[in-house]
Structures are given as C-alpha cells and as structure tokens.
Amino acid sequence: MPQPKNYNATLAGKVAIVTGAGTEGDGIGIGRAIAVVLAGEGARVCLVDLNADSAEGTRKHIEAIGGEAFVAAGDVTLRYDCARFVEATVERYGRLDILVNNVGVANPVALEGDDEVAWSRVLNINLTSVMLMSRYAVPAMIKNGGGSIVNISSIGGIRAHGSLAYGPSKAAMAALARELTVLYGRQGIRANTVAPGHVLTPLAMSLLPTEMRVQRRNVGPLGLEGDAWDVAHAVRFLVSDEARFITGVQLPVDGGVTEIGPMKAHALIESGPPLEE
C-alpha cells in the first residue's frame, strides 16, 4: 500500500504520542507510518524514540505533508522518561488524546542456562514500557474527558512462533489493554491492540531472504505481504471517534494468516508455485 495522498481530518484537534516512532533512514517502519497517518489526519504528534535522529526523520515526513509533530528522545523502560514524554506533550499542546505503544524487540531467549537478563530485557521493552506509558498517559487523558490507547502487539502473541519471551510479552500487551478497558472505561478510556503479521518493514527486508518472503506470501489466504501503512490505517480507525464503541479488542492485521490451521498452512506452502529468486 503506498503512502496516503489524501486525508479526511478525522483526528483534527487530537494530540497523540507514538512510541518507537522512528525508522532508520528513509524507510517506513510501523511507528513512522502510524505517526505520519495520525498527523495527516490532523493530530499533533509527540514522536518518542530512543534514537532522536531516527524520530527526526519521521518529523520531516510529517512536515512534508503539512502535519505538526515534535521529537522526544528517551527510554520507555524508564518511568521518569515516560512521565517526561507525557508532560512535554501536554505542555506543548495542552492535552493528550491518543497513545500508541509501538516499541518492541524480539531478542532470542533460551530456556536453558541463565538467560534471565535477556528475558527481562524483552519483557521490559515490550510490556513494562506499555504499563509505564499508560501510567502517565491515562490521567492526562481523563483530564480532557478520555482517550484511546492502542498497543502494537504481534500475531506472535496469538500463535506460537518458537520465541520464548517475544510471544508471551506480545500476548500480555493485549491482556493489559483489556485490563485498562475494564479499569478506566467509565472514565472515557478505550484500549485496543493491533497484532501485525507478515508485514514487510525495513527490518523484515533486512532479515528475510527472498525465498522466505515467497513462502510468507504463499501461506497467507490473500497471497500478499502487508506493509506498515496497513497497520497505520488500522490504528487510525481504532483511535478515531468512529471506533467510539470499540474497546478491549485485538485486531490482527495479517492477511488472515492466524486463521489458517498448521496442517493447512503446510499444505499451502507445499502446493504453492516454485520459489523464485
């Protein structure tokens, strides 16, 4: 899906924070695409990233389409930084309506040995950061009548993919959204989860050989790879007033991959066209 050329101001007057909003170079990762689409729809956006230069690249994309954003560099696993991101956003724009928790890491973790450090790192980045950002964002949202939180999880949190820490951390992101839904719904807070899968991002392009990408297309019901814009449009809908009656859901953005049973998936791969270079 190409970058959108037309927007409908569905988020005019809204203020958003997107974590993991940068992408190295001019590539379009999920965080960058989300921030650009939200800004294109009229939201003013705080771009959170550990790498300020990476987030600055996203700001330039937003500026190019006439949007408004600023960069807040820091570490979402540190509560003081999370508090600072929210304070800076409210100070600059006067309110907070949207939080998109997009930061994530997929480091390998082994069950054998003493790998607790690697385990803790994945859990801290993927899950604790969501709790910390929500801790400071929710009160700010309640002050202006409520708001919307979207956690960017993964189909790895729905189906096992052989990743000991990544899958459980992503599954817990959806569980945390559901708890926020119950705890703060009466105060106007909606919390949902988007679970991307088989999405082609700059990171995926650097890691996946051509034959693996062909297999990904073959196994999906649509025979397609998604991209970051597909994820961004799902987020745009969930944070908009159009989704005012939707909360606590997990939305796979995966071309239907999670709906295929494992034997059927294997059969699809085996019956697909020969792999091409």
Side-chain angles (χ1 to χ4, degrees), residues 177-186:
R178 293 192 294 269
E179 296 298 337
L180 292 174
T181 289
V182 172
L183 291 170
Y184 298 101
R186 292 299 177 92

Side-chain angles (χ1 to χ4, degrees), residues 55-68:
E56 182 62 23
T58 303
R59 190 194 65 77
K60 290 178 180 177
H61 274 258
I62 289 172
E63 187 178 68
I65 62 170
E68 184 176 352

Side-chain angles (χ1 to χ4, degrees), residues 69-244:
F70 77 101
V71 172
D75 187 341
V76 290
T77 69
L78 303 177
R79 63 188 180 92
Y80 297 109
D81 275 2
C82 293
R84 176 170 57 84
F85 300 146
V86 173
E87 290 168 3
T89 301
V90 173
E91 181 178 353
R92 191 180 189 102
Y93 295 136
R95 59 187 294 132
L96 178 62
D97 305 280
I98 297 164
L99 169 64
V100 181
N101 291 302
N102 172 66
V103 169
V105 66
N107 286 9
V109 176
L111 188 63
E112 301 82 5
D114 52 352
D115 216 8
E116 293 91 346
V117 172
W119 167 273
S120 296
R121 182 171 187 272
V122 173
L123 270 291
N124 284 338
I125 293 173
N126 292 359
L127 181 60
T128 302
S129 68
V130 176
M131 181 275 291
L132 290 174
M133 285 300 305
S134 300
R135 171 187 289 173
Y136 299 106
V138 166
M141 291 176 174
I142 290 173
K143 286 181 180 179
N144 48 262
S148 177
I149 298 171
V150 175
N151 296 336
I152 306 302
S153 179
S154 166
I155 62 170
I158 301 174
R159 299 282 186 267
H161 284 70
S163 182
L164 186 66
Y166 181 77
S169 71
K170 289 298 185 177
M173 291 176 73
L176 179 53
R178 293 192 294 269
E179 296 298 337
L180 292 174
T181 289
V182 172
L183 291 170
Y184 298 101
R186 292 299 177 92
Q187 293 167 279
I189 301 298
R190 293 188 301 111
N192 294 292
T193 304
V194 169
H198 290 203
V199 172
L200 187 62
T201 63
L203 179 60
M205 290 180 68
S206 71
L207 296 176
L208 295 177
T210 300
E211 58 269 22
M212 181 62 74
R213 290 186 56 195
V214 173
Q215 287 183 344
R216 295 208 313 173
R217 289 195 295 272
N218 282 343
V219 78
L222 298 180
L224 300 171
E225 284 178 303
D227 62 24
W229 301 113
D230 293 309
V231 180
H233 285 297
V235 173
R236 197 281 317 163
F237 169 68
L238 287 173
V239 302
S240 73
D241 291 339
E242 297 165 350
R244 71 182 188 92

